[in-house]
Each structure stands twice: as structure tokens, then as C-alpha cells.
Amino acid sequence: MRNRACAENCEPYVALKNAYDNRAEAVKKIKDTGKKVVWTFSGNVPDEVIYAAGMIPIRAWGSPAPWEEADRYLELSFGPVWRALFDTALNGKYRDLMDGLVFSTNFTMLEKMYNYIRWIIEREPERNLPPIALIDYEVMERDYLFFDRNCKNTEEFAREMEAWSGTTITDEALRNAISLYNEYRQALRDFLALRKGEDSRITGSEALTVVGATLVMEKERCIPLLRALTQEAAKWPKVEGVRLFYTGSQQENTDLYRMIEECGGNVVGEDHDWGDRVADLDIKDTLKFPLDCITERYWYLMPNSEKSRVRLRAELVPEWIRACGAEAFLVYMYYNDEAYFWDYPTQKRKLDAEKIPSHLIAKQRIPLVNPQELRDELGQFIASVRREN
């Protein structure tokens, strides 16, 4: 599906799309200001702490295949998303733009990736790789002991960021970072609200483009663009198509969403790290202990499939579907990225009881082996939803 004229002629959207399409160039603009740039590999990394240390967090994206570094070091159990990210960290293409890499434990493969890269740094110093860090959060259990553990880990992470930046992180700096990122998330939520429900004004691919752009930009720059875009997009033509809620492997480019749109559907909500999850939850205003407040936000984020209880996600998915006005539920997984198999049987029983159609597509590859086969399968599912409605 080609870009809609309303988006192509909208200056704020064009500016954001340019950052999304040229991510390395967007990051270089930050580096050219003299600021250090820290690449984060998960939505569970507390960006506010990095920002309070005087550095700019940006979200790492996967390199296109072939993934030579991944093929050299990783076992076959790493799916394409993780192999692409591993290559980004090691292939040297973006080395001049990297002042540090931060991983998290909310995905097992990210934790393994961190340990492998740490091993490589120790044994191959000639690579001159950037320093790396791991934020270790317990995100499954919700009681005080685990919260206390997570708070201590945030404090340790803050000390590490101070060492990287040579700057002391003050409570004032943390409060300023919290205020800025809350403002950013609210601006992003206001925009994403335009794709919810029957009166959707933006497509899933347009939403994914905007979210992805903000992840590689300074927040001071993207907030006014988001606000201006929201005002203009509210006047865009209504988007027709079967409204889908997407879960599964994270989508860092718009290929899948555009294919869905070509088949008569539209993604109006999702729970992966390049979508609605970015805008989920602000940090509370009780800032007597700002690091603890930051910890709480990342602890209560929209739970992912790998580090959450099946029962919890089975309860939450129908709520998310209703909140965004979706008509159906799509699960899409790359090979060896199939934690969503654990969730789907229980979710499907809940969705069937509420008469919400659902469909599972698994073992996909990057690049697609048979795109026409996928297009046919998506088209058949979307057509079946349309008939039932």
C-alpha cells in the first residue's frame, strides 16, 4: 500500500518519516551536538536514567540480513529479530554512533546476547566495542520483595550510567527527565488515539512509522512534531479496513502492517516494543524517591509474553482489544520467536467466548520466503472477519 496523500503532504509526518527511514542519520544528528548516545535493546530499559545522566537513549534496530556476526557466534535458537539486533551491536556499521549498549532481562535472548557480547569484549579487545550494561528487572512477580530488588537494580544502573557519562545523577535531573518523558508519552498517546475505533484516521503503518521515528530522536524535538501531527491527522480521511489487534514478534519496519492494509485490514493496536507499549504508563508524580518511581513504571509496563503469566495476558488481551476498538486478534511469529504459543490457547478460549475472531501465523522468516502465501493467508482471515461482522 503506497503512502496516503494526506500523510505525504503533512510536514510533521514527513519530518518524522525521514527520521524513521534514515535512522542512522537521525542518530548522527544527535552525536553531532556533542552528546553521548546510548543504544537500548528493549522497552524495559529506563530511558529516564540515561537522560538524567546527560546522555541520549535511542532504540537499537536490527541490521538487514545476512547476519554474519550472528551466524558466527549465535546458536540456531535465536530467531531473526534477535540475530538482526546482535549484528547491529557487533558489525561495526554504527560503531561511531554508539557510546554504550544497554540490554534487559525481559527477553531471554537479550540476556543471552548481553552475556555473549560481554564475553567477546573480554576476548577480542581489538574490536573496540562500546561499553555494555544490563538492567535486571523481575517483571513477572508483583510483590514488595521483588519491587525492592528492582529498585536496587535501578540504583546500580544509575551508578553505571554516571560512570559512563562522568556526571552525577541528581534528583532534580531525574525529575526533569521524568517530566520530559511523561510529556512525550502523552503526546504519543494523543496521536495513537487517532487510530482507535471505528473513526480511525491513521493506518497501522503510519502509526508504526511515527513511533519508530520518536525512538531515534531527542524527545525535545519530537514532542512538538507529534503535537502538530496530531492536529493535522485528526482531519485526515477515515481509514477503512478490518481493525486488528496485533501481538507477536516486534515489527521494526512497516512491511507486515502494509501487507495487512493491502489485504483490507488495519492494525489499530499492538503490544510489542515498537508500538503501543512505548506510550504505556506515565511515571507517578510522587517524586520523593524518583528512582523508585521510575522502577515502578517499568515494572508495571504492558506485560510481554515471555516474562508474564499466561493467565494474566489471557485476561488483559481482551481488555486491550476492546480499548482500541479492534474487531479481531492476530498473532504473528518469526521462527524461534514463539513464546506466544504459550499464550494463544488460553487467549483463544477467552476470545472465542467473547466472539472475537483470532488467527495464528507462525514460523515466518526475514526476508519472507513466500510473501504471496502470507498475503493469501492474511487476506482469507481478514475476509472471514468482514463476513462475520
Side-chain angles (χ1 to χ4, degrees):
M1 181 177 180
R2 60 190 303 272
N3 294 326
R4 296 191 297 163
C6 56
E8 288 182 340
N9 297 324
C10 175
E11 288 187 13
Y13 181 81
V14 170
L16 288 160
K17 187 176 186 301
N18 184 59
Y20 179 77
D21 290 340
N22 303 282
R23 299 175 203 181
E25 183 180 327
V27 177
K28 185 177 184 300
K29 288 180 180 179
I30 300 174
K31 281 289 293 179
D32 288 345
T33 66
K35 297 175 182 175
K36 290 186 176 181
V37 175
V38 175
W39 291 49
T40 68
F41 285 73
S42 162
N44 277 63
V45 175
D47 288 348
E48 293 84 355
V49 175
I50 298 170
Y51 184 88
M55 301 181 291
I56 306 300
I58 65 101
R59 184 70 57 80
W61 61 90
S63 295
W67 303 303
E68 295 178 2
E69 298 290 351
D71 291 344
R72 178 182 178 188
Y73 290 103
L74 300 184
E75 59 265 36
L76 294 177
S77 59
F78 282 78
V81 168
W82 314 117
R83 302 181 82 81
L85 284 171
F86 188 82
D87 247 62
T88 290
L90 289 184
N91 63 22
K93 182 177 180 180
Y94 307 115
R95 178 64 188 91
D96 292 343
L97 304 178
M98 294 175 168
D99 295 297
L101 311 177
V102 181
F103 300 85
S104 73
T105 56
N106 66 308
F107 284 101
T108 300
M109 292 308 183
L110 286 178
E111 188 172 0
K112 285 185 175 182
M113 205 181 297
Y114 163 79
N115 287 318
Y116 291 175
I117 294 174
R118 186 175 64 173
W119 181 90
I120 292 168
I121 288 173
E122 291 176 355
R123 287 159 178 78
E124 301 179 26
E126 67 277 6
R127 280 179 173 264
N128 190 32
L129 294 173
I132 62 172
L134 178 73
I135 184 73
D136 182 9
Y137 281 153
E138 167 56 57
V139 294
M140 183 177 291
E141 300 296 341
R142 300 285 176 84
D143 63 34
Y144 174 76
L145 289 177
F146 286 105
F147 178 66
D148 184 60
R149 170 190 181 275
N150 286 352
C151 288
K152 290 176 180 176
N153 289 340
T154 304
E155 291 177 8
E156 291 178 5
F157 180 65
R159 303 292 83 80
E160 195 161 10
M161 293 303 99
E162 287 179 332
W164 283 13
S165 66
T167 301
T168 299
I169 298 176
T170 65
D171 282 356
E172 181 181 6
L174 287 168
R175 293 188 182 102
N176 289 338
I178 288 169
S179 177
L180 176 67
Y181 275 80
N182 280 351
E183 186 179 1
Y184 155 66
R185 284 187 284 265
Q186 184 60 59
L188 189 55
R189 282 195 298 272
D190 290 343
F191 171 71
L192 293 175
L194 295 177
R195 70 169 169 164
K196 314 296 184 187
E198 296 181 6
D199 195 34
S200 176
R201 300 288 163 168
I202 57 176
T203 66
S205 59
E206 289 163 355
L208 189 61
T209 296
V210 170
V211 173
T214 68
L215 294 177
V216 295
M217 296 172 66
E218 291 185 87
K219 299 303 174 277
E220 295 91 339
R221 178 166 176 247
C222 65
I223 288 171
L225 288 173
L226 283 170
R227 288 174 174 162
L229 173 59
T230 301
Q231 286 188 342
E232 294 198 30
K235 305 170 188 174
W236 289 357
K238 181 179 175 180
V239 177
E240 303 294 340
V242 172
R243 301 183 301 278
L244 303 180
F245 184 90
Y246 172 93
T247 194
S249 301
Q250 68 183 28
Q251 298 299 311
E252 297 177 11
N253 64 61
T254 60
D255 293 349
L256 176 63
Y257 281 26
R258 285 180 179 274
M259 185 180 290
I260 289 169
E261 290 156 18
E262 291 168 0
C263 295
N266 187 39
V267 176
V268 296
E270 69 277 288
D271 63 350
H272 63 75
D273 265 5
W274 285 69
D276 278 333
R277 199 169 185 270
V278 175
D280 188 40
L281 296 184
D282 285 337
I283 295 173
K284 293 182 179 178
D285 293 331
T286 54
L287 297 180
K288 185 176 181 181
F289 303 105
L291 280 176
D292 291 359
C293 295
I294 289 171
T295 302
E296 184 179 34
R297 188 257 169 181
Y298 289 91
W299 195 32
Y300 278 100
L301 263 180
M302 184 182 283
N304 71 15
S305 185
E306 185 168 321
K307 294 291 182 75
S308 179
R309 297 196 181 282
V310 170
R311 182 180 66 253
L312 175 61
R313 281 182 54 87
E315 294 294 335
L316 289 176
V317 162
E319 292 182 16
W320 297 338
I321 291 173
R322 287 191 293 269
C324 66
E327 301 169 272
F329 179 61
L330 175 67
V331 186
Y332 180 93
M333 299 178 293
Y334 295 119
Y335 77 92
N336 289 341
D337 187 23
E338 295 162 348
Y340 308 93
F341 271 136
W342 308 340
D343 288 345
Y344 185 59
T346 306
Q347 290 171 346
K348 189 175 188 308
R349 287 195 294 271
K350 293 274 188 181
L351 297 172
D352 287 348
E354 298 192 28
K355 294 184 169 48
I356 298 173
S358 63
H359 187 64
L360 170 68
I361 298 175
K363 300 186 182 301
Q364 297 299 301
R365 294 182 177 271
I366 301 176
L368 289 172
V369 175
N370 191 336
Q372 187 57 51
E373 183 178 309
L374 175 60
R375 186 175 284 106
D376 291 344
E377 185 172 357
L378 287 169
Q380 291 168 13
F381 172 57
I382 291 167
S384 70
V385 176
R386 184 179 288 111
R387 286 194 298 270
E388 291 179 19
N389 291 339

